[in-house]
Amino acid sequence: MISMIWAMDENWLIGKDNLLPWHYPKDLAYFKSHTKECAVLMGDMTYQSLKSYYVKKPMPFKKVYVANINDASYPDATHVKDLFTFLKETSEDVMVIGGKTIYQLALPYADRLYITYILKTHEGNVYFPRFNLGAFRLLTYQIEDGLIFSVYERITS
Ligand SMILES: NC(=O)c1ccc[n+]([C@@H]2O[C@H](COP(=O)([O-])OP(=O)(O)OC[C@H]3O[C@@H](n4cnc5c(N)ncnc54)[C@H](OP(=O)(O)O)[C@@H]3O)[C@@H](O)[C@H]2O)c1
């Protein structure tokens, strides 16, 4: 199964340069609880950004895949050069954790979405690509401190 997780504000903002535009401890805890011990897939930019947080300790994932069109190697991750083949053929449960480019490319393959809606606007310059949520059904949502934690699954029938 391919799942995706992200947080966005009312304008679908997700990033500021190569960082998150905000600090919401509750959303970080939610992200951690849904990615801990998972196989995760991210783009090279998000990998570099996360590495700046995990300088001395390992990233808390079971397995890390990093998408990059260029030849690359990572000390703690598996390079994915052919993203579409990977998404089509993987038999693992994979959580896609960003960023914008990889979300956009992986969305057609996603079975489940974990979206945190931030009920305000922030400053930044990277936006989640607009798409129609009509292909997904809302499974659960929870409102806490100005955040809505929502889970969707793709409608298959
Ligand atoms: N709010 C959130 O929940 C959240 C979560 C994660 C990230 N973000 C934000 O997202 C932003 C980063 O997004 P981004 O779009 O700049 O970077 P990104 O998606 O993390 O990485 C883009 C990478 O994808 C590679 N790529 C593109 N097409 C590919 C393909 N077909 N096959 C394999 N690899 C491919 C590119 O390789 P090349 O370099 O070779 O072109 C590039 O290195 C940051 O601001 C970050 O803070 C927000």
Side-chain angles (χ1 to χ4, degrees):
M1 178 190 285
I2 305 290
S3 303
M4 300 189 17
I5 186 165
W6 74 92
M8 64 184 185
D9 82 356
E10 289 177 350
N11 294 321
W12 292 39
L13 182 78
I14 61 166
K16 184 175 185 182
D17 302 324
N18 204 24
L19 297 170
L20 292 178
W22 46 68
H23 181 70
Y24 289 104
K26 281 211 166 151
D27 184 54
L28 281 179
Y30 182 82
F31 174 82
K32 281 183 183 166
S33 72
H34 285 82
T35 53
K36 200 166 178 260
E37 301 306 320
C38 290
V40 299
L41 167 70
M42 67 188 101
D44 181 71
M45 300 294 285
T46 296
Y47 172 80
Q48 301 304 341
S49 174
L50 264 185
K51 283 300 264 187
S52 65
Y53 293 106
Y54 290 97
V55 178
K56 291 201 175 137
K57 50 182 182 173
M59 292 191 271
F61 310 117
K62 183 171 80 181
K63 193 158 187 192
V64 178
Y65 293 100
V66 181
N68 190 332
I69 296 170
N70 297 306
D71 288 332
S73 70
Y74 301 94
D76 51 358
T78 302
H79 175 211
V80 173
K81 197 174 168 91
D82 185 345
L83 180 65
F84 300 116
T85 302
F86 174 82
L87 290 166
K88 263 187 268 178
E89 294 185 357
T90 184
S91 54
E92 275 179 284
D93 286 338
V94 175
M95 183 70 95
V96 179
I97 64 166
K100 173 188 177 163
T101 310
I102 300 309
Y103 286 138
Q104 183 160 30
L105 297 173
L107 187 61
Y109 301 88
D111 305 296
R112 194 168 277 228
L113 308 178
Y114 295 84
I115 308 176
T116 301
Y117 296 99
I118 295 167
L119 301 176
K120 60 189 276 192
T121 58
H122 284 267
E123 295 284 316
N125 53 8
V126 183
Y127 293 84
F128 198 96
R130 295 272 171 176
F131 72 102
N132 185 353
L133 259 171
F136 295 86
R137 81 163 63 85
L138 182 63
L139 286 184
T140 64
Y141 72 96
Q142 192 179 332
I143 305 172
E144 266 185 69
D145 299 345
L147 304 172
I148 304 177
F149 298 99
S150 59
V151 183
Y152 296 83
E153 71 173 5
R154 186 176 290 283
I155 298 167
T156 52
S157 58

